[in-house]
Amino acid sequence: VDDPNGHCPDSVTFYELDDERYLDQWRGKNNSNNERLLFDVIVFNFAVNEAKASLFARELLNKEHGRLLAPINTSNDYWLKQTYKVIDGR
């Protein structure tokens, strides 16, 4: 955290990757029959189509209480207008 008064819990991780590379990396680490690492919260800081946000929610979120927040494009592949949506893992 750059702000000396700020605090980020150790359980929070930030990734500087595009979404598709991150998903490929996550699938590679979670492809066995072992218990998958699922997330409680995912936040996109860039616009995505609703289908992609739903895919991330279905694959990566904890089904019981996980939530994803993303600026969703109002039309497919239209990047100039978004609406924030919360999607669960179901």
Side-chain angles (χ1 to χ4, degrees), residues 7 18-19 26 34 37 39 46 51 54-55 57 70 84-85 88:
H7 172 72
D18 64 70
D19 54 348
W26 181 86
N34 297 333
L37 170 66
F39 296 94
F46 53 87
S54 295
L55 170 73
Y84 275 89
K85 289 191 177 183
D88 64 28

Side-chain angles (χ1 to χ4, degrees), residues 7 18 28 32 46 48 56 58:
H7 172 72
D18 64 70
S32 67
F46 53 87
V48 293
F56 269 73
R58 281 191 315 272

Side-chain angles (χ1 to χ4, degrees), residues 44 48-58 61 68 70 72 87:
F44 278 86
V48 293
N49 288 327
E50 190 163 12
K52 182 175 278 189
S54 295
L55 170 73
F56 269 73
R58 281 191 315 272
L61 284 178
L68 179 145
I72 303 292
I87 301 172

Side-chain angles (χ1 to χ4, degrees), residues 62-79:
N62 178 303
K63 304 302 181 235
E64 296 298 316
H65 56 265
R67 297 289 183 270
L68 179 145
L69 173 66
I72 303 292
N73 296 317
T74 56
S75 300
N76 280 342
D77 297 320
Y78 180 72
W79 307 102

Side-chain angles (χ1 to χ4, degrees), residues 9 13 15 18 29 31-32 38 45 47 59 63 73 84 90:
T13 306
Y15 297 92
D18 64 70
K29 290 179 181 177
N31 64 359
S32 67
L38 298 175
N45 70 342
E59 285 199 42
K63 304 302 181 235
N73 296 317
Y84 275 89
R90 294 178 243 162

Side-chain angles (χ1 to χ4, degrees), residues 13-25:
T13 306
F14 295 90
Y15 297 92
E16 287 188 55
L17 290 172
D18 64 70
D19 54 348
E20 292 166 1
R21 283 193 185 120
Y22 179 80
L23 188 57
D24 288 343
Q25 184 183 75

